Amino acid sequence: MLWSSIATKAQFFTDLTNWITPTYAQSQEDQFFENWSQGKQDSIEYYLSIFILCEPENQLYHYWLGRAHIAAMSMQNPSSPDDIKSKYFHKAKAQFMLLENLDSTSYLPHYAMGMIHWKKAVLTSKIWIPYHYSRKDRDLIGKMMVFMKKEFNEALPYFQKAEKLNPNHIPTLARLSELYARLDDFGMVKRLKRRIEAIKNEEVFEASIFD
C-alpha cells in the first residue's frame, strides 16, 4: 500500500474537497500541494488517477492532478532555465486541456494554464547566482530575465480569460495584480486590489473588471 494510514487517506480526501473555494488564499493552495507532494507525488497521481477512472468527467480531479504536477515542477532546484523539466509541464497541460474539453465555460483550465507559466517564471527567479558573479553568470542572468518575462507574458492572457469567466475568483485577481505591477500599470493594480477587498467583504460581481 502506498499509504498505510487510513487517517492519512481520509485527511487527503478532506483537504482536497475543502481548499478550492473562491476566497481561498493562493499561498494556502500552494502550500497544500507542496505538503502533499513532498515524497508523496506517486501517491497523489495514483489516487487521483483512480478518481478520474471512476469519474472521468469530474473537473476538479483533472485540476487537482494538474496542480500536483505543477507542485512537483515547483520543487525543482534548477541551475539554469534549461533545467526546468518539461515533463511536469506537459503532464499538467494535458490535464488542463481535458478540463477545458469537459467545460469550455469554466475558468479553471485558464487559471490553471496561467499557473503553469507563472510557476515556471517564479522557479527561474530562484536560481542561485553568486554575489561576485562572472561573465558567464551575467549571461545566465540575462537568459533568466528573458525567460521570466516570456513566461509571465504567456500567463497574462490565461488569467485574463479566467477572470472574464469568473470575476469573483480571488487567486486569479491576485495573480493579475502582480502581473500588472510588473507591467507598471498601477492603476489596474489598484482596481484589482479594490475588487479583491470587495469580494472578501462578500460583494459579488457579474461583470469582468476588463469590461
Side-chain angles (χ1 to χ4, degrees):
M1 294 178 64
L2 290 173
W3 288 345
S4 58
S5 169
I6 294 176
T8 301
K9 294 179 185 178
Q11 186 62 48
F12 175 67
F13 300 144
T14 300
D15 288 349
L16 278 175
T17 54
N18 282 345
W19 68 258
I20 187 163
T21 64
T23 57
Y24 203 102
Q26 183 61 41
S27 60
Q28 291 174 291
E29 178 181 326
D30 291 344
Q31 188 62 49
F32 166 77
F33 280 111
E34 287 173 10
N35 287 343
W36 281 108
S37 293
Q38 291 174 358
K40 298 184 177 71
Q41 183 66 25
D42 291 341
S43 299
I44 289 179
E45 290 190 38
Y46 175 80
Y47 281 106
L48 288 177
S49 295
I50 290 176
F51 298 165
I52 290 171
L53 283 174
C54 296
E55 298 181 57
E57 296 188 1
N58 188 310
Q59 297 178 46
L60 293 185
Y61 292 161
H62 290 288
Y63 176 73
W64 290 332
L65 184 53
R67 286 290 283 119
H69 291 313
I70 294 177
M73 181 178 71
S74 299
M75 288 187 291
Q76 297 176 71
N77 188 25
S79 58
S80 81
D82 295 332
D83 292 340
I84 298 177
K85 295 179 181 178
S86 61
K87 69 174 183 178
Y88 297 118
F89 172 87
H90 293 301
K91 283 185 175 182
K93 186 176 181 179
Q95 292 301 319
F96 300 148
M97 289 177 68
L98 286 170
L99 182 58
E100 185 174 13
N101 289 337
L102 289 172
D103 184 0
S104 60
T105 65
S106 173
Y107 74 95
L108 270 179
H110 306 286
Y111 170 73
M113 284 299 298
M115 282 303 301
I116 292 179
H117 294 289
W118 176 275
K119 286 293 186 180
K120 288 173 72 177
V122 170
L123 185 58
T124 303
S125 71
K126 296 178 181 179
I127 294 173
W128 182 77
I129 301 294
Y131 181 73
H132 298 290
Y133 51 82
S134 64
R135 181 174 180 177
K136 182 179 179 181
D137 293 323
R138 288 198 296 272
D139 291 341
L140 174 58
I141 292 171
K143 187 174 184 179
M144 287 168 57
M145 297 302 292
V146 169
F147 184 84
M148 290 171 62
K149 183 177 181 180
K150 170 180 168 292
E151 294 300 326
F152 281 130
N153 286 343
E154 289 191 27
L156 181 59
Y158 286 113
F159 288 131
Q160 289 172 329
K161 182 65 178 291
E163 190 277 339
K164 284 180 176 292
L165 293 168
N166 184 353
N168 298 287
H169 187 235
I170 288 178
T172 297
L173 296 169
R175 287 293 177 252
L176 283 168
S177 175
E178 293 179 57
L179 288 172
Y180 276 102
R182 291 177 179 276
L183 296 172
D184 295 331
D185 189 343
F186 297 108
M188 178 57 77
V189 171
K190 289 180 180 179
R191 290 178 61 196
L192 287 160
K193 288 186 175 180
R194 283 198 298 268
R195 176 159 289 200
I196 289 171
E197 289 305 312
I199 295 169
K200 286 180 178 179
N201 291 323
E202 301 185 354
E203 187 172 350
V204 178
F205 294 90
E206 297 295 330
S208 165
I209 199 168
F210 300 108
D211 291 343

